[in-house]
Amino acid sequence: DAKTTQPNSMESNEEEPVHLPCNHSTISGTDYIHWYRQLPSQGPEYVIHGLTSNVNNRMASLAIAEDRKSSTLILHRATLRDAAVYYCIPYYNFNKFYFGSGTKLNVKP
Amino acid sequence: DTAVSQTPKYLVTQMGNDKSIKCEQNLGHDTMYWYKQDSKKFLKIMFSYNNKELIINETVPNRFSPKSPDKAHLNLHINSLELGDSAVYFCASSQGGQGNPRGEQFFGPGTRLTVL
């Protein structure tokens, strides 16, 4: 199973971009990279996923390194509502879908 | 409309009791899951059902038994509750399960179980 390394916590100012890094050096060629977040007292919610190319959606962008050993979740303009724990999950099938400790993002007004 | 719902939201009970948590999804997904989030906030998968068939059973005590009456429901029954069972339990669903690594999982709001 691919292991991940993420900073325990990060801080950002509101309205500024945030780059959340993740190292997954043991990722296999078929593992998609998923990002989820968990707001306080809520269940996790899907943010974005990708395989090799960079991806954009309405919530965020995902930049994947060429060697796929790391990725960065980009929130273009952080809001207070983005304060959450962000999980990076290399994923091929659901029996490898393991949440690590994630990065707790604090957004300052 | 709530996509994945769980009942109850809170459950407080005594050691040794038997309790159930219900989960329903209205997304038409064919795969449902149970996760446990302990006091240290680690989220671990417990069970997965695909088309009413058990696919994953992680190292979970036999006291925990999932039941899937149909594709839209996955209930969790816990016998002889122990103090260590206190946690937040999340239900989730997705389409495709194994073989669909792009499948987004939708999580319920969680059930906070407290065993006294």
Side-chain angles (χ1 to χ4, degrees), chain A residues 32 34 36 38 92 94 98, chain B residues 37 56 58 98 101-102 105:
Chain A
Y32 281 74
H34 284 239
Y36 279 70
Q38 187 173 19
Y92 175 66
F94 52 60
Y98 293 111
Chain B
Q37 188 166 40
I56 299 175
E58 291 291 296
Q98 189 166 4
R102 297 170 294 279
Q105 291 193 21

Side-chain angles (χ1 to χ4, degrees), chain A residues 8-24:
Chain A
N8 287 334
S9 63
M10 292 184 65
E11 199 164 76
S12 170
N13 294 318
E14 202 176 8
E15 303 292 316
E16 290 185 356
V18 182
H19 290 230
L20 297 163
C22 180
N23 286 325
H24 31 77

Side-chain angles (χ1 to χ4, degrees), chain A residues 31-104:
Chain A
D31 283 345
Y32 281 74
I33 300 157
H34 284 239
W35 283 80
Y36 279 70
R37 70 180 185 181
Q38 187 173 19
L39 278 65
S41 301
Q42 294 189 28
E45 67 173 341
Y46 168 82
V47 178
I48 199 167
H49 76 273
L51 183 60
T52 54
S53 305
N54 295 344
V55 184
N56 300 299
N57 67 19
R58 62 175 181 80
M59 288 181 71
S61 295
L62 177 60
I64 301 171
E66 199 169 329
D67 63 6
R68 294 192 358 106
K69 293 184 177 181
S70 65
S71 61
T72 302
L73 180 70
I74 303 165
L75 306 179
H76 295 285
R77 291 179 66 195
T79 68
L80 296 178
R81 196 198 172 274
D82 292 322
V85 178
Y86 286 79
Y87 299 97
C88 154
I89 308 168
Y91 175 52
Y92 175 66
N93 59 47
F94 52 60
N95 65 357
K96 291 186 179 181
F97 202 81
Y98 293 111
F99 287 80
S101 53
T103 297
K104 184 173 183 179

